[in-house]
Amino acid sequence: MNIFGNHRKLPSDRYSLGLDIADPKRTVTIPRSAHLAVIGESNSGKGSVIANIISQEVAFGGEIWFIDLKAGMEAENYCNVLARKAYTLEEAYDLLTDFNSNVDTLAAEWRGKTRSLTDAQTCHRLLVIDEAADMVRSGPNKKLSDSCIELVRSILSRSRALNCTVVVATQNPRVSTSLPYRSLLLTTVALRLNSKGEATMALGEDAVKRGARPWQIPFSRPGDGYLWDTETNQTVYLHVPFISDEELHRLHR
C-alpha cells in the first residue's frame, strides 16, 4: 500500500520519493521542478518510483504525458490519467514536438514577467519517458530517433522554470551516459545495479565517494535506492514504496 496516503496533504512544490532507510520516520522529497533520472536493473523498483510520482501528480491536478516504447506495457496502467501517450517512435516524435511547442508558448507568454511559473499561472506538466534506451535507434530509424533525442534535450534545457518536470527511466547506465541530455538531469535515483562501475556511470564519482552503493542492494529489496542531487551534493539511501496495479487502475483525473 502507498505509504503517502492522501497526496493532497503533500506540499504542491515537492514530490515524496520514499523513506530514509537510516531514519525511517523521515520522508525523502525532491522539488517538483527537478528533472529526474531513474536508473536500475529490471525488477529493481523503477516502476515504483514512476508510480509514486504519477499518483502525486494526479493529486496535484497536473497533466501527465508518457512515452513508453515497450508497446505501452507500463504506461497503459495509467490510461485513466494520461493527457498524452506515445507507444511508437513516430508517436513519441509527435508528443515531444507538441510538448516542446508548449514550452515555446509559455516562454513567449511569460518572458520578462516572472522567473518561474507556478500552478497558479499554468498547469504543471509531467513528462515520463520509460526506458530511454528504446528511443536510441540505428539504421532507417536513426534520423527520427535523433530528432526525438534533440527534442528531449530542448525540453530539459528550457522547461524547468516553466512548471514542467521530466522523468527519464532506464535499465542501462551505459546508455544513459551517452545521451546528449544526461547532464540536464541533475537529480538521480539509482536502484539496484550490477557493479561499482555502473554506479559511477549512473551517479558520478562524487556520489560513490559520498557513500552511494547501489551494487550492494540485494535482489530481495526492490525499491531500495540512492538519491543523488548534484545541486546539493547530497546522497540519501531510501526505500520507495510499492504500488500495486490495482491501485494504479483506480487513479482518476
Side-chain angles (χ1 to χ4, degrees), residues 32-225:
R32 194 165 163 226
S33 60
H35 297 320
L36 176 69
V38 184
I39 304 173
E41 292 181 326
S42 179
N43 297 318
S44 62
K46 294 188 302 299
S48 294
V49 178
I50 291 171
N52 277 278
I53 288 177
I54 287 179
S55 61
Q56 290 170 76
E57 192 61 49
V58 171
F60 294 146
E63 281 189 7
I64 302 152
W65 299 36
F66 204 129
I67 296 174
D68 179 4
L69 300 184
K70 301 187 301 300
M73 291 299 295
E74 183 72 23
E76 196 61 21
N77 288 299
Y78 305 95
C79 62
N80 293 329
V81 297
L82 298 181
R84 290 284 301 273
K85 58 186 179 181
Y87 298 163
T88 67
L89 194 62
E90 291 77 11
E91 290 174 352
Y93 176 78
D94 291 341
L95 183 152
L96 290 167
T97 298
D98 291 345
F99 198 102
N100 196 56
S101 296
N102 181 260
V103 170
D104 290 336
T105 299
L106 286 173
E109 179 181 356
W110 292 97
R111 188 179 298 120
K113 299 177 183 178
T114 182
R115 293 184 179 181
S116 183
L117 298 181
T118 67
D119 288 359
Q121 295 158 319
T122 186
C123 178
H124 186 91
R125 283 184 171 86
L126 169 65
L127 171 61
V128 177
I129 304 174
D130 192 30
E131 196 44 64
D134 289 342
M135 196 177 287
V136 181
R137 306 286 179 88
S138 58
N141 290 318
K142 186 178 187 306
K143 184 176 180 180
L144 185 58
S145 168
D146 289 346
S147 296
C148 288
I149 290 170
E150 175 56 27
L151 283 166
V152 175
R153 188 207 61 77
S154 175
I155 290 165
L156 284 167
S157 66
R158 301 181 302 123
S159 66
R160 183 170 179 177
L162 298 171
N163 207 28
C164 300
T165 305
V166 181
V167 175
V168 177
T170 183
Q171 295 182 29
N172 193 336
R174 289 174 173 81
V175 170
S176 75
T177 59
S178 64
L179 293 172
Y181 56 74
R182 177 64 180 93
S183 63
L184 298 171
L185 295 161
L186 299 181
T187 305
T188 302
V189 171
L191 302 153
R192 187 183 68 250
L193 294 170
N194 284 314
S195 65
K196 181 178 179 180
E198 287 191 351
T200 301
M201 284 186 281
L203 294 166
E205 291 185 5
D206 285 348
V208 174
K209 288 178 180 178
R210 292 175 183 268
R213 298 288 185 270
W215 67 93
Q216 294 180 356
I217 297 173
F219 284 89
S220 60
R221 295 285 301 180
D224 282 11

Side-chain angles (χ1 to χ4, degrees), residues 225-247:
Y226 288 87
L227 169 66
W228 172 246
D229 188 339
T230 58
E231 292 183 317
T232 62
N233 289 329
Q234 292 181 336
T235 183
V236 180
Y237 187 29
L238 77 158
H239 179 74
V240 180
F242 175 75
I243 298 181
S244 68
D245 290 349
E246 290 73 19
E247 289 177 280

